[in-house]
Amino acid sequence: MPELFTGLRPRASVRLQVSVRALPAVAVIGGVALPDQPNTWTGDDPVIWWVAPDAWLLQSASQDGDTLVAATRAACASLPCAVTDLSDAFVTIALEGPQAIGVLARGCGLDLRAGSFGVKACARTRLAQLPVLIRKSASARFELIIDRSAAQYLEDWLRDASIGIG
């Protein structure tokens, strides 16, 4: 069976929390517009995930956490907001290929098929009894953000869940 996992470079992760009333004032961070719909993401680098009504997660493979925090704070300087560097807290695991949905379905309650969870979709969910953020970045590619302390467990679980798929 082909390898389902692909290695990702470490990513800087920053949480942005902005008052809902201030949202119209925040349009672009690092050249990327904030998503305008819940459970969606925008951009390539940084990638901005809408994770709650007043919170976004920004991820960058090319910038470090300090640079991403500074850019986010500059874009939101006049707003009531909180910007927190979470780079050391999370790990991103990528899963791709035609069997990816089948593997994820073994431990996730979301319907990840194209008609229900399209490209540009993201969500908080549980996978293998762990809280994860999941986004569909291509038709057969998913990125999972997990607490660093649980990353090895999830990777092992995904390998086990892939046995017999396809």
Side-chain angles (χ1 to χ4, degrees):
M1 174 166 58
E3 186 66 32
L4 289 171
F5 302 99
T6 58
L8 291 178
R9 294 183 349 206
R11 292 191 176 194
S13 298
V14 172
R15 179 182 170 96
L16 168 64
Q17 192 155 356
V18 178
S19 164
V20 175
R21 290 177 303 222
L23 283 181
V26 180
V28 177
I29 297 174
V32 177
L34 290 177
D36 59 0
Q37 295 293 315
N39 296 325
T40 60
W41 59 274
T42 57
D44 291 321
D45 198 342
V47 174
I48 303 177
W49 307 49
W50 186 337
V51 296
D54 63 350
W56 292 263
L57 181 71
L58 290 76
Q59 277 197 317
S60 177
S62 65
Q63 302 176 50
D64 63 17
D66 293 338
T67 305
L68 193 54
V69 165
T72 304
R73 284 188 177 143
C76 302
S78 63
L79 304 174
C81 68
V83 179
T84 309
D85 188 349
L86 301 173
S87 300
D88 293 332
F90 294 128
V91 170
T92 301
I93 298 172
L95 190 66
E96 68 181 313
Q99 296 87 16
I101 290 176
V103 171
L104 292 170
R106 290 186 167 184
C108 177
L110 292 178
D111 181 357
L112 299 172
R113 293 174 297 175
S116 300
F117 197 85
V119 175
K120 297 291 186 181
C122 66
R124 289 180 189 229
T125 190
R126 295 192 71 78
L127 176 62
Q129 301 304 316
L130 297 170
V132 299
L133 287 169
I134 184 169
R135 84 175 175 116
K136 190 170 190 178
S137 58
S139 63
R141 180 181 169 88
F142 295 87
E143 291 184 7
L144 312 169
I145 297 179
I146 181 90
D147 244 356
R148 183 175 299 279
S149 63
Q152 187 60 56
Y153 169 81
L154 182 58
E155 190 170 331
D156 292 344
W157 184 92
L158 288 167
R159 288 188 198 285
D160 289 346
S162 69
I163 295 170
I165 296 282

